[in-house]
Amino acid sequence: MKRIGLFILLSIYSVFNALGYDIEVDKLQYRLNVETATVSFCGISSDYKRSYINIPCFIEYNGRNLPVVSIESNAFSSGYKSPTEVIIPNSVLEIKPGAFPYNCPLEKITIEDGDQPIITAYGYKGPLLTTGQTEGIGCFGYCTKLKEIYIGRNLDFSDYKTKEYGFTPFYRSCVKKVTFGPKVSVIQPYLFWDASSLSELYLADSIEEIGNSAFCLCPIKNSFKIPSKLTIIYSSTFSYSQFKVIDLNSDNLLEISNTAFAGNTNAEAECEEIILGKNVNKIGSYAFYKQKGVKKFTSFNPIPPVIDADQSTDFLPSNVYADAILFVPQGSAEKYKSADIWKYFWNIKEMESTGVNDVDFDAVDEISAVYDLSGSSKENSANGINIIVYKSGKIVKLLKRAN
């Protein structure tokens, strides 16, 4: 009799494990942690029909509101085909290893705005080879159909030491459009390294630091407007980008490191204009290397910034010195004409003293995207607070009232 009872218990336990979840609400599945009274999202029902997954902040179970605090491994498996979009709420504090497994069908991911960072693990932890290379995959590396992501808070992948294996969450991602929301303050080094399809990037003005090589080898084509709190642009941060305009006109920016905006000889698009703020005082070697399409270069600093370059072509291609116009503040032309590297510009002009420092170089700024406070995209702004993303990269909050 005891053996029969044990067999029944083991059978029940096996069925429970086969299900892989404890609670199902609206065809979304969760695992329960009774000690913390929280749940983790772990999958969807096989008959789930919607094209998107909107994970809630809380679920109600047995009279309690249980916060959804994490996403489990294999939560977004390739076994389902219909949902192509997921909204991750600000209650989620961690994405577990392998949450987005091989051939994940998601095309759009929204990480809602939040004050607390979200911990992101790896997609696959490959070995660190003796050559220094890795077989590892970043957290979203298996999202091979990913087109767009909205990141509403800081990402933290230090717990999993993913950088030791050479893969950050979007390392070599195929994503095409990335928007950072107003709660993001830090973008880590190598975050989107070699995301070779990334063509649109929108940065919130809240960003205080962008790590080196964060967008290296990304062919970003929209104009770049520097977040006003940045004081330095680190080495190779935007190497091989294809920004049409590089607008670095910020009073807080002091330094541009080596190869920060180094160009690509085979680029499909070329930068046409570069603008430096009045306090930029140091520029590293190869900072704008191979940016051969520049026609207008503006520096608002009356004192020529020091360029760490042995020869003119270590800063800009030769044709730019001959073809482009260098605009400088009134009374500073002679200083630029005698300063190392700057003196090679053939055409140096002083700006008119008519408030040109306040000119908006991108006067016609079209709206690129509209989001609500949860980070969900909208076709048009709705009543209430909207997050508006412009093509220049500017992001603002707009309150729309009913008529």
Side-chain angles (χ1 to χ4, degrees), residues 249 251 276-278 300 351-352 354-361:
N249 186 16
D251 290 352
L276 304 184
K278 66 180 181 181
F300 285 113
M351 294 178 279
E352 299 290 336
T354 55
V356 69
N357 197 31
D358 298 322
V359 169
D360 181 2
F361 284 91

Side-chain angles (χ1 to χ4, degrees), residues 37-56:
T38 61
V39 294
S40 57
F41 174 79
C42 64
I44 63 174
S45 171
S46 59
D47 59 347
Y48 190 89
K49 300 299 183 183
R50 294 180 179 177
S51 62
Y52 64 92
I53 302 171
N54 191 353
I55 302 173

